Amino acid sequence: MENANDNTLKAAVTARGAFKFDRLEDAAALPGRDGTVFIADTGKAPTAARGRPYQFDFDLSDPMRGTLEMILNGDLPDGDDIYNRDNLAAAERVLMVQEDRAATFRVPWVTGGTSRVMEYRFFDGQLRSVARVTDFGSSR
């Protein structure tokens, strides 16, 4: 059975040439737009150390069909100003993204710094920091 456990499922999708995400972390549905879901790929060195958020648009008449679009790319060649997105929330006009720079598996040049809450505007693709996350458990 192909989906008996994580190993058989991974072997089955790899054999079919499925897209490989690095580390899926969170998902958020777009209110008012059935079939649109954003996912956070937190990233994993060496291929995508800073990660990427994606937009899935499913065909409601045939859920086996749809499109996948990378909307930001923290890694080269794009180098968008976003690091290891962790939590997502979608609203009519924006996607809110909380970063997680404190995870222990991060590569040294990504770990550290201040995690932020970022706002990605759908209408013009602009990304901006709207808050910083304070880690009271560390000495940073």
Side-chain angles (χ1 to χ4, degrees), residues 17-98:
F19 185 83
K20 293 182 182 180
F21 293 101
D22 290 303
R23 273 193 70 239
L24 292 180
E25 187 70 36
D26 197 11
L30 183 58
R33 240 176 88 189
D34 294 341
T36 298
V37 177
F38 297 94
I39 60 169
D41 186 340
T42 298
K44 179 177 159 186
T47 56
R50 290 170 53 182
R52 304 169 176 120
Y54 294 87
Q55 178 178 333
F56 273 129
D57 285 301
F58 296 96
D59 181 340
L60 295 178
S61 64
D62 182 0
M64 298 297 289
R65 300 182 63 83
T67 60
L68 173 67
E69 177 185 1
M70 178 175 47
I71 58 173
L72 293 166
N73 181 7
D75 296 291
L76 295 176
D78 304 306
D80 292 317
D81 183 28
I82 194 162
Y83 294 83
N84 305 113
R85 71 257 345 104
D86 191 36
N87 301 304
L88 301 176
E92 182 181 338
R93 296 182 177 133
V94 297
L95 177 68
M96 302 302 293
V97 181
Q98 180 181 347

Side-chain angles (χ1 to χ4, degrees), residues 114-128:
T114 301
S115 294
R116 302 167 294 176
V117 176
M118 307 293 287
E119 175 192 73
Y120 174 75
R121 297 187 313 214
F122 298 133
F123 70 93
D124 64 2
Q126 293 299 306
L127 177 69
R128 69 182 181 122

